Amino acid sequence: MADHPTSENKMGVMPVNRLLLNMAIPIMISMLIQAFYNVVDSWFVAKLSEDALNAVSLAFPVQNLMISVAVGTGVGINALLSRSLGEKRQDQADKAAVNGIFLAVLSCLVFVILGLACSKLFYTIQTDVDEIIDYGSAYLTICCSLSAGIFGGVTLERILQATGRTIQSMIAQAVGAVVNIVLDPILIFGLGPIPRMEVAGAALATVIGQIIGCGVSIFFNLTQNPDINLSFKGFRPHGPTIRGIYSVGLPSIIMQSIGSVMVFGMNQILIAFTKTATAVFGVYFKLQSFFFMPVFGLNNGMVPIVSYNYGARNPDRIIKTIKLSVFYATAMLVIGCLVFQFFPEQMLSLFQSEEDAAGNLLTIGKSALQIISLSWLLAGFGIVASSVFQALNHGLLSLTASVVRQLAVLLPVAWLLSRLPEFARQYLLNHPSAAPDGILARLAGLGGLNLTWWAFPIAELFSMTLCAIFLRHVYRKNILPLTQARQE
């Protein structure tokens, strides 16, 4: 291992715009590759049948939960490690990295047990379609029991990012994604001596790609990351470091896990209309990742910059980083919204199975994509603000904003909107004297499924307002005192 450098880290001296792009673009590229292979995964599965696509779509809450635990812990590692480097506390930075890897191993073991014991139960709770249950339980068992790649990979990639080595992080993720893409058709449909594994093949391709990507991250951290010493000699879990990681990471884990609860709840609302609606919702999440993954990559590049400069007590660089991040995130999501508005059918047609001759996926999906994507016009600010809260040790504010958006607003509003036409029809039946052309009559003639999608723009408006209030509080508490101290 090379000696630790004494020169100033680039996060404290490089021009902010150049630094943000330097940190974020490699991560954004790697996340675009991740988004691409997620879409390819579902594209191949959709060729099997709509039930196969539904099985993969219904697995999303559990897969998202694994990602939430891995990424949330990684956010805590990233923030603590970057802040320690900014404060010139090398020993604490090393402890953050090593204890973070230890936590990743524990998290993996929990999901291995859950996957082996509960995968079939998870599907039987949601549906009684035998083919979906069989496909889904096989898919989820493989993803959970071989989850070492995702937990190890995410943790080690965050260590690379926290020390400014985003190119190496990008390469590791890209290698895993390419392996997944190559293996997908081979394992799903069979090739030569390799048997046709269908949905289980998609899961196996995913975990193999993750494990290989993790191996590449291990190589880069051991050979090209002199800022951190990953030595486990005489290792013992360090309570204060673990608490420091989870003080930021646990709210992030809970915040991202709420997405699993939201998706599970939405699937229950949607499947009451038709199982095609849940397939559409799953396809939406695959497609939206092309625009949200780069935004999350931007955030991953932003967090260590904000954390480092907070540790170095440099408020001007913090403020400029936040402003630039909001601008870039909003611009990317506005572009995404326009694409969804004008080309929904072209995107949805990629996932149409041969058995869907009536085009139900396209009919339902077009309205869904166009309505939900309107929320993206507001989402960029909230996403960046939430990451700023985490970087400055206010994970609870991020958690609150996420709970309000997804549980307190989105799910209740979605349920209410889905039932409004039926409520209106029942009222008109019980009150024959009601105006035949009034608001209730018009509402009764609407489709509940299309109304349900409007819960997303409504929830995003609430979230943006709350994040603006929270960001003002964080500025006054953390950033303004640094500015005032410099002026004195």
Side-chain angles (χ1 to χ4, degrees):
M1 182 68 65
D3 294 334
H4 296 304
T6 57
S7 59
E8 178 70 43
N9 191 292
K10 68 180 181 180
M11 287 185 283
V13 295
M14 186 181 288
V16 173
N17 188 52
R18 180 181 162 201
L19 173 63
L20 180 61
L21 294 177
N22 182 274
M23 292 284 288
I25 286 178
I27 308 174
M28 292 163 66
I29 293 172
S30 64
M31 287 198 158
L32 270 174
I33 296 170
Q34 296 277 324
F36 178 72
Y37 91 68
N38 281 337
V39 168
V40 170
D41 218 34
S42 293
W43 181 74
F44 281 122
V45 168
K47 301 305 175 186
L48 296 172
S49 67
E50 185 178 289
D51 284 341
L53 179 60
N54 253 316
V56 174
S57 298
L58 290 174
F60 179 84
V62 176
Q63 289 181 295
N64 186 64
L65 186 59
M66 285 194 288
I67 293 171
S68 298
V69 173
V71 171
T73 305
V75 167
I77 297 167
N78 198 329
L80 179 58
L81 199 160
S82 298
R83 189 162 62 248
S84 299
L85 290 175
E87 295 168 349
K88 312 301 182 187
R89 299 173 61 197
Q90 186 62 53
D91 182 61
Q92 179 57 50
D94 291 340
K95 285 181 180 177
V98 174
N99 280 271
I101 294 172
F102 168 72
L103 295 175
V105 172
L106 292 184
S107 300
C108 174
L109 291 175
V110 170
F111 278 94
V112 169
I113 294 169
L114 290 175
L116 292 173
C118 304
S119 291
K120 188 166 186 178
L121 175 63
F122 177 75
Y123 277 89
T124 55
I125 291 172
Q126 299 184 82
T127 181
D128 58 358
V129 179
D130 290 337
E131 189 170 7
I132 295 178
I133 294 171
D134 292 341
Y135 273 142
S137 57
Y139 181 85
L140 205 52
T141 299
I142 293 171
C143 288
C144 291
S145 59
L146 297 174
S147 58
I150 189 169
F151 284 103
V154 168
T155 300
L156 291 159
E157 286 158 12
R158 290 302 184 275
I159 293 172
L160 289 170
Q161 293 166 14
T163 54
R165 288 165 178 81
T166 53
I167 294 291
Q168 288 88 338
S169 174
M170 177 192 73
I171 293 171
Q173 291 189 49
V175 169
V178 170
V179 169
N180 188 344
I181 292 169
V182 171
L183 289 180
D184 259 335
I186 296 173
L187 297 179
I188 292 173
F189 302 109
L191 179 66
I194 299 174
R196 178 186 175 98
M197 300 177 67
E198 299 191 342
V199 173
L204 195 57
T206 296
V207 297
I208 291 173
Q210 291 167 347
I211 290 169
I212 291 176
C214 178
V216 175
S217 293
I218 292 172
F219 171 79
F220 282 140
N221 271 293
L222 293 178
T223 63
Q224 299 184 26
N225 194 358
D227 287 329
I228 294 296
N229 179 26
L230 294 179
S231 174
F232 285 87
K233 185 177 180 180
F235 169 76
R236 289 185 179 180
H238 188 244
T241 299
I242 292 174
R243 285 193 294 273
I245 290 172
Y246 279 137
S247 68
V248 175
L250 187 58
S252 178
I253 291 170
I254 297 172
M255 180 180 69
Q256 295 186 73
S257 298
I258 288 168
S260 296
V261 178
M262 182 275 290
V263 172
F264 184 86
M266 281 296 299
N267 281 335
Q268 303 317 299
I269 293 170
L270 296 173
I271 207 166
F273 291 102
T274 168
K275 66 179 183 179
T276 303
T278 61
V280 164
F281 195 46
V283 167
Y284 161 76
F285 270 100
K286 300 292 184 180
L287 292 172
Q288 60 91 28
S289 64
F290 274 111
F291 301 97
F292 277 86
M293 283 293 201
V295 174
F296 296 145
L298 174 74
N299 274 6
N300 287 339
M302 176 199 71
V303 167
I305 299 173
V306 172
S307 294
Y308 183 97
N309 285 284
Y310 183 65
R313 305 184 69 80
N314 196 333
D316 293 340
R317 291 176 67 82
I318 296 173
I319 294 170
K320 190 167 184 181
T321 300
I322 295 170
K323 288 181 178 179
L324 286 168
S325 298
V326 170
F327 171 77
Y328 288 133
T330 301
M332 285 187 283
L333 292 180
V334 167
I335 292 171
C337 177
L338 292 175
V339 172
F340 270 48
Q341 294 300 313
F342 292 107
F343 305 104
E345 292 178 335
Q346 289 85 343
M347 293 185 291
L348 289 163
S349 63
L350 296 172
F351 304 91
Q352 190 174 16
S353 64
E354 294 181 359
E355 65 189 35
D356 185 19
N360 291 328
L361 186 78
L362 299 183
T363 302
I364 294 173
K366 180 180 178 180
S367 296
L369 266 56
Q370 289 179 327
I371 294 170
I372 297 176
S373 63
L374 294 175
S375 65
W376 299 7
L377 301 175
L378 309 175
F381 174 81
I383 293 171
V384 172
S386 290
S387 292
V388 171
F389 303 152
Q390 294 165 11
L392 296 179
N393 238 356
H394 290 282
L396 186 59
L397 297 182
S398 294
L399 173 61
T400 302
S402 184
V403 168
V404 169
R405 184 176 75 86
Q406 298 187 83
L407 300 188
V409 180
L410 196 153
L411 278 182
V413 170
W415 180 84
L416 180 62
L417 291 175
S418 72
R419 301 300 303 273
L420 269 181
E422 181 61 28
F423 291 156
R425 285 191 286 271
Q426 289 296 325
Y427 182 87
L428 292 175
L429 284 174
N430 295 329
H431 299 80
S433 60
D437 58 349
I439 294 176
L440 285 175
R442 295 192 187 110
L443 188 58
L446 295 176
L449 181 56
N450 280 344
L451 279 178
T452 304
W453 308 124
W454 283 100
F456 286 86
I458 293 170
E460 204 61 62
L461 179 61
F462 273 84
S463 176
M464 187 187 73
T465 304
L466 198 58
C467 284
I469 296 170
F470 288 165
L471 189 59
R472 185 180 181 188
H473 166 75
V474 169
Y475 172 78
R476 289 180 171 180
K477 183 173 181 179
N478 294 89
I479 302 173
L480 186 59
L482 298 182
T483 303
Q484 293 169 339
R486 285 204 159 197
Q487 293 171 348
E488 293 174 354

